[in-house]
Amino acid sequence: MILLDYPYTSDFLIETVVRNQFPVVATPEAKEILLGRNAKLISEKEAIAFIKANPLQPVYTNSENSIAWIQQNLKETSLPDKIETFKNKFRFRELIQEFYPDYFFKSASLIELRNLEISHFKFPFIIKPAVGFFSIAVHKVDSPEDWQGIVSKIEVQMEKTRSLYPKEVVSNTDFILEEYISGEEYAFDCYFDQNGNPVILNVLHHVFSSEYDVSDRVYYSSEEVISKLHQPILDFLHQIASKIDLRNFPLHIEIRETEPGKINPIEVNPMRFGGWCTTADLTWFAYGINSYEYFFHSKRPDWEKVFEKRKDKKYSLILLDNQSDVAQEDIAYFDFDAIAKDFEKPLHVRKVNMDKFGVFGFLFTETSKGNEKELDEILHSDLKKYMVLKVKN
């Protein structure tokens, strides 16, 4: 069963749904997305009854937006509680605490922050909303002297949300204060099969241009990345499985490798793979693995076979966002043909509405070992060279 929702559903996912006739819950959003397609739509009432009667039915959604539908309509199932376990960062840290006994984390409400005694905390640490429905109020605290200034910033940021959320929600927002995790950052898609066994579908290295870079410009996958982290990730997933019953359950997880072979999770996103149909679609363009079909058909990648013909290659997901000083309203269009020509082997160019979504699109590429310069250049580029500006009168 699939829940399709905005902001974005890729043509590849839609084609997969139609070709396999995967049942799609007929929400208003799904009907709009699949308009004119020969998809197998199931009424919301029928879908709710079927999932309640078949609690191990695989359910996948491409968007965080659909979680509200699950929480509202499937209260009698275990899905809402499992989702909350991962969405609430403090609750998830409690779940895995025994595996990271020295890891510092603490919960505090918004009104408690001002008078919180932090002198004995482990520095640096990160403070962020425990449930990520805000994209704001995430800060790194380097020393006790920084605290009051950061709390002031958080209070201002949260005040701005009062027009979007009820006062009770904002005032009662819980925060998690947790140890800063150093190391190389990675993201991966996975699922637990009907027997509760974890299956890894891809692993990507999130590359930054500097220690101050927080962008999502470049992620890449390769034989080296997957081979290095496959077993540590499996061990981590088995730890999760020992704490919570997960069957036919997909996840997108961000981690850091703190030491060779040792990983620590940053964030866990339930019920889906990477947002905007990015990481799952890259797995197809790169490796010929359809992550959606693998999940619903309970298939496992044969990595040895996959890499027989993909030696010394890097497969990248590149976010084309505006990091220049050019105002969006001054851009006539983005030259996708020009940027594609600057890469050895573009696999797919995904164009999106810049005015609506704030990014130009995504680029999926294959890069040979020794030609990583093209990835380094795009990592540091503000993309201004690909922007065609409007003619001013």
Side-chain angles (χ1 to χ4, degrees):
M1 191 82 62
I2 293 184
L3 281 155
L4 295 181
D5 211 328
Y6 297 111
Y8 185 85
T9 305
S10 70
D11 288 340
F12 176 70
L13 174 53
I14 292 173
E15 290 164 4
T16 298
V17 167
V18 172
R19 184 178 63 255
N20 288 276
Q21 287 293 285
F22 290 141
V24 179
V25 183
T27 61
E29 295 80 9
K31 287 190 283 189
E32 287 182 359
I33 291 167
L34 295 171
L35 187 65
R37 305 279 190 145
N38 184 30
K40 184 178 181 180
L41 288 167
I42 307 295
S43 73
E44 293 185 66
K45 184 177 180 180
E46 185 180 356
I48 293 167
F50 183 77
I51 295 171
K52 287 181 179 179
N54 300 272
L56 291 183
Q57 167 73 21
V59 179
Y60 179 84
T61 177
N62 66 309
S63 172
E64 291 278 304
N65 296 353
S66 294
I67 287 177
W69 188 93
I70 295 172
Q71 292 171 328
Q72 179 179 347
N73 294 292
L74 300 176
K75 294 177 183 177
E76 297 173 22
T77 74
S78 63
L79 284 178
D81 188 63
K82 289 175 181 177
I83 289 171
E84 177 65 15
T85 296
F86 294 112
K87 293 301 296 178
N88 188 306
K89 299 175 180 63
F90 182 78
R91 183 169 167 180
F92 176 68
R93 282 294 170 192
E94 287 188 314
L95 180 76
I96 63 171
Q97 186 172 14
E98 75 171 82
F99 307 118
Y100 300 89
D102 299 324
Y103 184 80
F104 162 75
F105 67 100
K106 178 180 176 59
S107 178
S109 68
L110 176 62
I111 59 176
E112 291 175 326
L113 296 182
R114 178 64 67 182
N115 297 315
L116 195 64
E117 176 54 56
I118 65 163
S119 59
H120 62 287
F121 287 6
K122 186 182 291 187
F123 290 87
F125 67 82
I126 300 293
I127 178 170
K128 54 190 174 183
V131 178
F133 54 90
F134 299 124
S135 59
I136 61 168
V138 179
H139 295 272
K140 181 183 176 186
V141 184
D142 290 307
S143 68
E145 291 72 31
D146 297 337
W147 181 242
Q148 292 301 322
I150 287 174
V151 171
S152 295
K153 290 180 181 178
I154 290 173
E155 289 172 343
V156 171
Q157 290 168 331
M158 299 302 285
E159 180 65 29
K160 291 180 179 179
T161 67
R162 293 187 188 278
S163 62
L164 302 174
Y165 300 95
K167 180 179 179 180
E168 293 75 17
V169 173
V170 176
S171 299
N172 295 330
T173 297
D174 286 328
F175 285 77
I176 182 171
L177 298 81
E178 60 180 343
E179 184 177 331
Y180 176 75
I181 306 172
S182 60
E184 292 297 306
E185 186 169 314
Y186 298 85
F188 65 93
D189 292 331
C190 66
Y191 73 88
F192 289 82
D193 66 17
Q194 61 184 1
N195 297 315
N197 298 312
V199 177
I200 299 170
L201 295 168
N202 201 355
V203 186
L204 300 95
H205 188 183
H206 185 187
V207 189
F208 298 98
S209 61
S210 71
E211 62 176 308
Y212 305 105
D213 181 18
V214 294
S215 73
D216 292 321
R217 174 58 61 80
V218 176
Y219 289 79
Y220 77 85
S221 181
S222 67
E223 180 181 18
E224 180 183 3
V225 168
I226 292 175
S227 298
K228 178 179 73 167
L229 288 175
H230 195 269
Q231 192 57 51
I233 289 174
L234 273 184
D235 293 342
F236 166 69
L237 293 176
H238 279 296
Q239 289 176 335
I240 292 179
S242 71
K243 292 295 184 179
I244 183 171
D245 180 24
L246 298 175
R247 286 178 284 174
N248 286 331
F249 198 90
L251 293 162
H252 175 75
I253 302 178
E254 299 170 14
I255 60 172
R256 282 208 173 99
E257 185 184 32
T258 56
E259 297 175 24
K262 291 188 67 175
I263 64 174
N264 198 329
I266 303 170
E267 186 171 306
V268 181
N269 298 285
M271 303 299 296
R272 65 174 176 85
F273 302 136
W276 282 70
C277 300
T278 49
T279 55
D281 287 16
L282 175 66
T283 305
W284 169 256
F285 297 128
Y287 302 131
I289 293 171
N290 188 319
S291 295
Y292 312 110
E293 292 180 351
Y294 271 53
F295 169 55
F296 282 106
H297 296 316
S298 199
K299 295 174 62 177
R300 292 173 170 269
D302 182 343
W303 292 113
E304 186 174 334
K305 184 177 181 180
V306 165
F307 289 118
E308 284 179 356
K309 298 180 181 179
R310 295 173 176 85
K311 298 292 183 183
D312 300 324
K313 302 290 185 183
K314 288 185 176 180
Y315 296 95
S316 299
L317 165 63
I318 300 167
L319 171 63
L320 304 175
D321 57 341
N322 187 359
Q323 297 183 17
S324 74
D325 55 2
V326 179
Q328 178 179 323
E329 58 267 23
D330 294 333
I331 304 171
Y333 64 92
F334 188 85
D335 195 336
F336 290 96
D337 291 335
I339 195 171
K341 289 177 182 177
D342 283 346
F343 285 85
E344 172 188 345
K345 188 176 179 180
L347 300 173
H348 179 67
V349 178
R350 175 171 295 170
K351 305 174 185 179
V352 302
N353 187 323
M354 175 67 182
D355 293 330
K356 185 176 181 180
F357 298 116
V359 300
F360 301 113
F362 299 86
L363 187 63
F364 300 77
T365 67
E366 177 186 279
T367 302
S368 299
K369 186 176 182 180
N371 194 33
E372 290 89 351
K373 182 181 178 182
E374 65 180 21
L375 298 178
D376 188 62
E377 287 180 350
I378 200 67
L379 179 63
H380 291 85
S381 174
D382 62 6
L383 303 186
K384 191 183 293 186
K385 63 185 285 190
Y386 306 110
M387 301 174 197
V388 179
L389 303 184
K390 295 177 181 176
V391 178
K392 295 185 178 181
N393 297 326

